[in-house]
Amino acid sequence: MSSVDEDGDLTAKAVIRNAALRLFAELGHDAVTMRQIAAAAGVSPALVVHHFGSKDGLRAAVDAYAGRAFDSLFAMDEHDVADAVAGDNWMSVAEMFARAFPPGSPLPAYLRRLLLTNDPAGAALFGRWFNQTHQLLDSLTEIGATRPSEDPAVRAAFLLVNDLALLLLRNQVAAAIGVDPLTPEGMARWAKEVTAVYQQGAFVSAPEEEQS
Amino acid sequence: MSSVDEDGDLTAKAVIRNAALRLFAELGHDAVTMRQIAAAAGVSPALVVHHFGSKDGLRAAVDAYAGRAFDSLFAMDEHDVADAVAGDNWMSVAEMFARAFPPGSPLPAYLRRLLLTNDPAGAALFGRWFNQTHQLLDSLTEIGATRPSEDPAVRAAFLLVNDLALLLLRNQVAAAIGVDPLTPEGMARWAKEVTAVYQQGAFVSAPEEEQS
DNA sequence: TAGCATACTGAACATGAGTTCAGTCGACGA
DNA sequence: TCGTCGACTGAACTCATGTTCAGTATGCTA
């Protein structure tokens, strides 16, 4: 079996859930069959439905499990807001992921699936992150750490979307710049450039104030 | 039928291809059945395989068709580079899409699917866009329109990824800020904020302030 | 010990998928 | 007029999928 390595003393139910999480993240919910999941977990297909009722039930359980994992990430984030305010580098969601989860974790890919399939769970997650980003920006503005924005909601969405983009397009970015941006090396290069743009901008304002 | 409105004088083969493009874009390749496509095109399932050989053949045909459409978008982009250089606002990929394709076009959603499924066609597209963005930045730097970057490749990837993210997360963004960012109204708000950040930055560089 | 609930399995079932096939219809050239 | 070719269809076939079911084993409780 491919999952023996981390079975340990987990219950069969947990083993099935983990196998499903990994397969769902890699291949997508629809492309994964109950038989694949059962095989990956080293059990019979009937046991999967015994524990989770149906494939939808399993999916719901996996969603809930991943949701809890993301929530803990959330808590860590709240805690690190102080650092974000104190330091002068932007702590991206991708960076938080890379720090919170081991390299082989299927959770980043699972978040990707959630956001891309227009899943309600993904929408809820995005909404919470958006609110948190919005509040963080407000706090930063209060202490004068950000340049004021005429449209704080759009700015929050812009920053959040930029962060998530790295997660969504990780593979394409890796191919383009030659290094996986979720490795420490890639993260360093990425963060440096992001910080530069967010602090000084990327383009020089046109001298003439006359615009169409 | 739902596609009668634009059938016109198209051949049945083209009608099938269009119906498949729309359904693939909306629901994903795997979630769409041959019978759905046939029904949407007002045709029997057997005719679909008669014209395209198999579902994979149909998918390949749709990919090729969409690829040609994106290539034409590409050409337009090259042509508009002058404007991008002359004006002082960043012309995003999402903006190009909104201008090139009618509001109801399935092509943005199809590109989304291409990028998300790690499709080779999507990877090739991303690679070409990356190279073009890189060159554009070089040109802009030459004429002093950008602040110099220590890592031009990463900066190009960063800007491109930010643009594409809006396409990928369109729905979530719409829910968060209350307006679809691909409509003229939404685009205006989004572009204004993006331009502001890209010109002046979002954060104030931390001086030697005492930090808690 | 008896009784019972729970974990678990192998085999079968029902359904929906992609595909095949025999055949109809109409256009067009000899 | 005949014959052929391509567009097109309805029905059937094959297969994989999610699910069900009858039954076994193991431990817990009384």
Side-chain angles (χ1 to χ4, degrees):
Chain A
M1 317 284 121
S2 62
S3 58
V4 165
D5 46 350
E6 58 183 40
D7 279 6
D9 54 354
L10 292 179
T11 74
K13 192 172 179 179
V15 172
I16 293 170
R17 195 232 305 118
N18 289 349
L21 170 62
R22 173 157 259 117
L23 286 169
F24 284 163
E26 282 173 11
L27 306 172
H29 298 100
D30 292 339
V32 176
T33 72
M34 295 288 265
R35 284 169 177 82
Q36 276 181 282
I37 297 167
V43 300
S44 73
L47 188 62
V48 180
V49 13
H50 171 72
H51 278 304
F52 296 96
S54 67
K55 191 182 182 182
D56 276 344
L58 172 58
R59 182 188 166 145
V62 170
D63 276 354
Y65 177 73
R68 283 194 299 274
F70 294 141
D71 280 343
S72 73
L73 182 65
F74 236 102
M76 190 201 81
D77 183 29
E78 299 247 1
H79 168 266
D80 281 355
V81 161
D83 295 345
V85 174
D88 59 349
N89 55 345
W90 180 248
M91 172 74 143
S92 74
V93 174
E95 215 169 329
M96 279 166 32
F97 260 78
R99 292 189 187 185
F101 301 121
S105 170
L107 283 168
Y110 198 79
L111 174 63
R112 208 181 105 118
R113 293 275 168 204
L114 283 184
L115 289 176
L116 298 182
T117 49
N118 291 332
D119 199 291
L125 210 53
F126 185 93
R128 281 188 294 182
W129 262 322
F130 170 74
N131 288 333
Q132 191 174 2
T133 304
H134 202 322
Q135 287 171 14
L136 174 58
L137 277 185
D138 284 347
S139 309
L140 290 175
T141 300
E142 270 182 26
I143 65 170
T146 68
R147 304 181 194 281
S149 163
E150 294 179 12
D151 202 339
V154 168
R155 173 160 296 184
F158 177 60
L159 294 178
L160 175 59
V161 158
N162 291 358
D163 282 354
L164 291 175
L166 186 56
L167 232 47
L168 303 182
L169 295 170
R170 169 184 185 175
N171 294 339
Q172 281 92 339
V173 168
I177 67 175
V179 55
D180 182 346
L182 257 54
T183 58
E185 178 196 356
M187 243 168 49
R189 275 182 69 184
W190 194 265
K192 190 170 184 180
E193 197 57 30
V194 170
T195 301
V197 170
Y198 283 171
Q199 283 187 350
Q200 292 124 32
F203 301 114
V204 179
S205 320
E208 80 258 53
E209 289 303 306
E210 204 175 35
Q211 51 204 13
S212 52
Chain B
M1 306 296 118
S2 60
S3 58
V4 164
D5 46 350
E6 57 183 41
D7 280 6
D9 54 355
L10 292 179
T11 76
K13 192 172 178 179
V15 172
I16 294 169
R17 197 231 305 119
N18 289 349
L21 170 62
R22 173 157 259 118
L23 286 170
F24 284 162
E26 282 173 10
L27 305 172
H29 298 100
D30 292 340
V32 176
T33 72
M34 296 288 264
R35 286 169 176 82
Q36 275 181 283
I37 297 167
V43 124
S44 75
L47 187 63
V48 179
V49 15
H50 172 72
H51 278 304
F52 296 96
S54 67
K55 191 181 183 181
D56 276 344
L58 172 58
R59 180 187 167 147
V62 170
D63 275 354
Y65 177 73
R68 284 194 299 275
F70 293 141
D71 281 342
S72 73
L73 181 66
F74 235 101
M76 191 202 80
D77 184 30
E78 300 247 358
H79 168 265
D80 281 354
V81 162
D83 296 345
V85 174
D88 61 346
N89 55 346
W90 178 249
M91 171 76 141
S92 74
V93 174
E95 217 170 329
M96 278 167 33
F97 260 79
R99 291 188 189 186
F101 301 120
S105 170
L107 282 168
Y110 199 79
L111 173 64
R112 207 182 106 119
R113 283 254 131 68
L114 281 185
L115 289 176
L116 298 183
T117 49
N118 290 332
D119 200 294
L125 209 54
F126 185 92
R128 281 188 294 182
W129 262 322
F130 170 74
N131 288 332
Q132 191 174 1
T133 303
H134 203 322
Q135 288 170 14
L136 174 60
L137 278 185
D138 284 347
S139 310
L140 290 175
T141 301
E142 269 182 26
I143 65 171
T146 67
R147 304 182 194 281
S149 163
E150 294 180 12
D151 202 339
V154 168
R155 175 162 294 185
F158 177 61
L159 294 178
L160 176 58
V161 158
N162 291 358
D163 283 352
L164 290 175
L166 186 54
L167 276 175
L168 302 182
L169 295 171
R170 169 184 186 176
N171 293 338
Q172 281 92 339
V173 168
I177 67 175
V179 56
D180 183 347
L182 258 54
T183 58
E185 179 195 355
M187 245 168 50
R189 275 181 70 185
W190 193 266
K192 190 169 186 181
E193 198 56 30
V194 170
T195 302
V197 170
Y198 282 172
Q199 283 186 350
Q200 292 124 32
F203 302 113
V204 179
S205 320
E208 323 301 300
E209 271 183 77
E210 69 265 58
Q211 52 190 11
S212 136

